[in-house]
Amino acid sequence: MEEKKKVMLSGIQPSGDLHLGNYLGAIKNWAARAEEFDCYYFMADLHTITVRQEPAELRRRTLQQLAQYIACGLDPEKNTLFVQSHVPAHAQLGWVLECYTMFGELSRMTQFKDKSAKHQDNINAGLFTYPSLMAADILLYKPDLVPVGEDQKQHVELTRKVAERFNNLYGEVFTVPEPYIPKAGARIYGLTTPGDKMSKSVPEGCVFLMDKPEVIAKKFKRAVTDSDRENCVRYDKANKPGVANLMDIYAAVTGKTHEEIEKEFEGQGYGVFKPAVGEAVIETFRPIREEAERLIADKSYLESVYRDGAAKASRVANKTLAKVYKKVGFLQP
């Protein structure tokens, strides 16, 4: 009898175009897991509306993100790819779990504090309670592992706590998932702000998957290195965060170690190193961008992918939801 695969799940908000941080920190690692795991990856469009979105732009980005997922190696035949809002069970379980998540737990979420500070004119209830929806996203599919960056680990820990609380009341309903944090390339920093995670909100320091080669080259040439006069390619995260970030990026796209990189650029300085990193990223992204552009032009194919994905995801999610509804006492439809 064939051994059942473990389940892995993750999603990214289509609130902006995918970038180098998304690729190296998440998507590149997702593609390598399809043989080992039963994988579910989604466009987290329900989460995006905690911040105001332009509707037509959100639809465009959602479809483009699906094309980029596939172009990055997520084969729809091997991975379940879907749009979050196409599976109503996410919102339905999200409400149930809000009733099993404590106010104090939500108030301690770092991202709520950060987003509230950035969007003071729109501190809505969804912004506060979305970790419960995120818990629903995860628990519906009973995943063993959830690939996340360090900044999202807090949400997986809350999910585990809510799942354990529910299981203690009603029996073993949910699988309690483990966060999966890749060892390499897990956190990529902005080219102009090496103290902060790479973010689409700082576009001049953010390298997008669909950027043209000349745009990528220009961004790397302008990348922050360090304030001393050493002009030496040496890995020192505390004193040379900009150089360390560039070395992390170069290591992730070439497979070279920090020691090999230091040796490669010994005596050459940043004027040679920065363009070389840019060129390595350009060549990594070139086939992805070209394939994504081809897929974006084939809307009927993308529609078939997200419809099939939603149908498969719904079959799994609805089984979990039905069990939860029965446990809490809802009359079965």
Side-chain angles (χ1 to χ4, degrees), residues 99-274:
C99 301
Y100 291 83
T101 310
M102 300 302 110
F103 183 92
E105 292 168 339
L106 293 173
S107 65
R108 288 191 290 274
M109 291 290 105
T110 303
Q111 288 207 345
F112 171 69
K113 296 172 186 175
D114 292 346
K115 285 194 174 184
S116 296
K118 290 177 183 174
H119 304 281
Q120 293 186 16
D121 59 335
N122 184 28
I123 305 175
N124 56 69
L127 193 63
F128 185 69
T129 64
Y130 87 91
S132 296
L133 176 58
M134 189 171 174
D137 298 335
I138 295 168
L139 297 175
L140 279 170
Y141 302 94
K142 301 189 174 181
D144 302 275
L145 296 171
V146 182
V148 290
E150 282 284 357
D151 59 320
Q152 290 287 339
K153 190 176 178 183
Q154 186 184 33
H155 290 107
V156 179
E157 288 169 351
L158 178 63
T159 298
R160 288 171 53 83
K161 189 175 290 185
V162 172
E164 288 166 352
R165 181 176 295 140
F166 197 92
N167 286 350
N168 287 338
L169 287 167
Y170 301 109
E172 296 301 308
V173 177
F174 296 125
T175 297
V176 181
E178 295 286 344
Y180 172 78
I181 301 172
K183 291 184 175 67
R187 195 170 178 89
I188 300 299
Y189 296 87
L191 300 185
T192 56
T193 54
D196 298 317
K197 190 177 75 163
M198 184 172 282
S199 169
K200 57 187 173 289
S201 63
V202 187
E204 62 274 13
C206 185
V207 181
F208 297 98
L209 262 68
M210 303 303 283
D211 275 345
K212 300 294 184 187
E214 59 272 18
V215 174
I216 296 174
K218 186 181 289 186
K219 287 179 178 178
F220 275 98
K221 283 177 183 175
R222 293 176 177 173
V224 170
T225 48
D226 53 47
S227 57
D228 63 32
R229 296 180 180 275
E230 189 180 19
N231 195 23
C232 171
V233 179
R234 180 169 56 81
Y235 197 81
D236 183 347
K237 206 153 193 171
N239 299 305
K240 297 161 73 79
V243 177
N245 186 44
L246 291 172
M247 290 180 72
D248 283 338
I249 292 169
Y250 194 64
V253 297
T254 65
K256 295 179 180 180
T257 65
H258 293 143
E259 292 76 16
E260 288 169 338
I261 296 166
E262 288 175 3
K263 189 173 181 180
E264 180 181 350
F265 294 97
E266 189 175 357
Q268 296 188 66
Y270 306 146
V272 175
F273 177 55
K274 292 197 290 184

Side-chain angles (χ1 to χ4, degrees), residues 5-10 26-43 66 69-82 147 301 304-310 312-313:
K5 288 182 177 180
K6 287 188 174 182
V7 177
M8 182 177 279
L9 171 137
S10 194
I27 302 169
K28 180 185 176 185
N29 300 298
W30 294 357
R33 302 292 163 189
E35 301 302 328
E36 187 179 354
F37 296 95
D38 185 9
C39 299
Y40 293 80
Y41 300 119
F42 60 95
M43 281 55 71
L66 174 59
Y69 274 4
I70 298 169
C72 286
L74 296 182
D75 184 348
E77 298 296 320
K78 297 179 179 180
N79 303 274
T80 303
L81 309 178
F82 65 100
Y301 169 70
S304 71
V305 170
Y306 69 63
R307 283 175 182 154
D308 290 347
K312 182 183 174 185

